[in-house]
Amino acid sequence: MTSLRNRTVMITGASSGIGEACARAFAVEGARLLLAARRVERLQSLADSLADGLDTEAHVIELDVRDASAVDAALAALPAEWAAVDVLVNNAGLGLGLGKLHEGVIEHWDRMIDTNVKGLLHVTRAFVPGMVERGRGHVINIGSIAGHELYPGGNVYCATKFAVDAITKGLRMDLVDTPIRVSTVDPGLVETEFSVVRFEGDVERAKRVYEGIEVLTGNDVADAVVYCASRPPHVQINEIIITPTNQASALVTSRRSG
Ligand code: NDP
Ligand code: 8X3
């Protein structure tokens, strides 16, 4: 394992779920954290709780990844001691709705495509040039099993995650003559705020997604992300697909009844 101590790790979508868990996991390894999301008050309380007890420091960035100029401005505004990002975790993302494509809500499509695809591109475009210049860096994208297979109603969300898969592979090719590594961690069912967001606050419907099966936690995914980041410099983990034991694919799960 290569030490992550004092490495600077930028995590988008650090205010909840997998991103928050990644922040904690990297903090345990002694990394310094750039925490980005829109809900800045959540980021601040996460930063405070990490600083309280762990040998780490965190810098909070209020950021909507959909806004390309805001992403560039956020990088430009970073204090010098925070500007050299070693690991970028492109995690910010969401699903909205689970309806049929021909009955779909265009505003949902815009938000998913603008966040999961264009947002990831904006942040990558802003931060990777510095990595190339410094000859050091690692991009870790959070994809999904939804980027490998479809499920009914998944249509546009799955398309965004297929796009993340393509972008990951393309970036890896484009950086092949550099020391920069590119990985993707693609989870199945993880209990976070994902389904509450997808069903627009319908908590009961969201709970049913995870019923009768021991699903992954954000920590399980964060563990895989830290694994990717802590390999020796000549080792690139291309892809980790991680599911609960009782999930064989997006559509095949075994659930306890009652
Ligand atoms: P959560 O809803 O718990 O977290 C999503 C995070 O993304 C939040 O921190 C949110 O922060 C951030 N985010 C959303 N939109 C934006 C934006 N425009 N700009 C900046 N940040 C944004 O869900 P998860 O933790 O589950 O999701 C994280 C990633 O994992 C997503 O890419 C998702 O697609 C992927 N994933 C999730 C799975 C699951 O089953 N949960 C399985 C496979 C992949 P804020 O609202 O404060 O901006
Ligand atoms: C999010 C989880 O169930 O839509 O990627 O594949 S799922």
Side-chain angles (χ1 to χ4, degrees):
M1 170 160 173
T2 301
S3 172
L4 295 168
R5 184 152 300 280
N6 293 324
R7 295 291 183 192
T8 302
V9 180
M10 158 90 172
I11 303 169
T12 67
S15 60
S16 171
I18 293 169
E20 180 180 342
C22 286
R24 292 188 188 285
F26 278 106
V28 167
E29 298 301 324
R32 315 162 70 233
L33 300 162
L34 281 168
L35 306 173
R38 294 166 301 178
R39 289 171 294 176
V40 73
E41 66 297 337
R42 281 201 184 200
L43 296 177
Q44 195 51 61
S45 62
L46 173 60
D48 294 344
S49 85
L50 295 177
D52 186 18
L54 289 172
D55 183 16
T56 186
E57 52 180 338
H59 183 82
V60 162
I61 308 174
E62 182 173 4
L63 185 64
D64 186 331
V65 296
R66 291 173 295 180
D67 182 344
S69 348
V71 171
D72 289 341
L75 173 57
L78 283 176
E81 69 274 18
W82 283 101
V85 169
D86 296 302
V87 180
L88 166 62
V89 182
N90 272 320
N91 162 76
L94 79 171
L96 282 165
L98 200 56
K100 293 180 189 296
L101 186 79
H102 60 284
E103 296 164 356
V105 179
I106 290 173
E107 193 258 340
H108 287 174
W109 301 349
D110 286 342
R111 281 176 60 196
M112 288 188 280
I113 293 167
D114 289 351
T115 309
N116 303 359
V117 183
K118 292 176 71 182
L120 180 144
L121 286 170
H122 297 154
V123 180
T124 304
R125 180 66 182 88
F127 283 86
V128 171
M131 293 180 176
V132 173
E133 217 171 275
R134 292 185 294 276
R136 192 168 93 181
H138 194 160
V139 179
I140 304 176
N141 293 332
I142 304 301
S144 172
I145 57 168
H148 299 275
E149 46 178 316
L150 272 293
Y151 51 86
N155 46 63
V156 175
Y157 176 72
C158 293
T160 68
K161 291 300 183 178
F162 270 71
V164 171
D165 185 51
I167 291 163
T168 304
K169 288 173 175 149
L171 183 65
R172 196 179 295 128
M173 287 178 187
D174 294 342
L175 293 170
V176 71
D177 56 352
T178 77
I180 318 305
R181 294 179 287 179
V182 185
S183 305
T184 183
V185 174
D186 300 351
L189 289 166
V190 191
E191 190 156 7
T192 62
E193 293 175 13
F194 179 87
S195 293
V196 177
V197 172
R198 173 171 244 173
F199 301 129
E200 298 177 281
D202 185 340
V203 175
E204 286 313 310
R205 188 174 176 197
K207 268 196 206 142
R208 287 200 292 277
V209 174
Y210 310 112
E211 243 163 40
I213 178 168
E214 186 174 354
V215 293
L216 300 175
T217 65
N219 294 338
D220 297 320
V221 181
D223 195 37
V225 172
V226 167
Y227 177 81
C228 293
S230 56
R231 294 312 88 205
H234 70 290
V235 177
Q236 172 173 255
I237 305 298
N238 290 276
E239 174 178 291
I240 293 180
I241 300 179
I242 173 172
T243 64
T245 303
N246 295 129
Q247 179 176 31
S249 74
L251 287 172
V252 180
T253 56
S254 170
R255 294 177 192 255
R256 296 178 304 277
S257 52

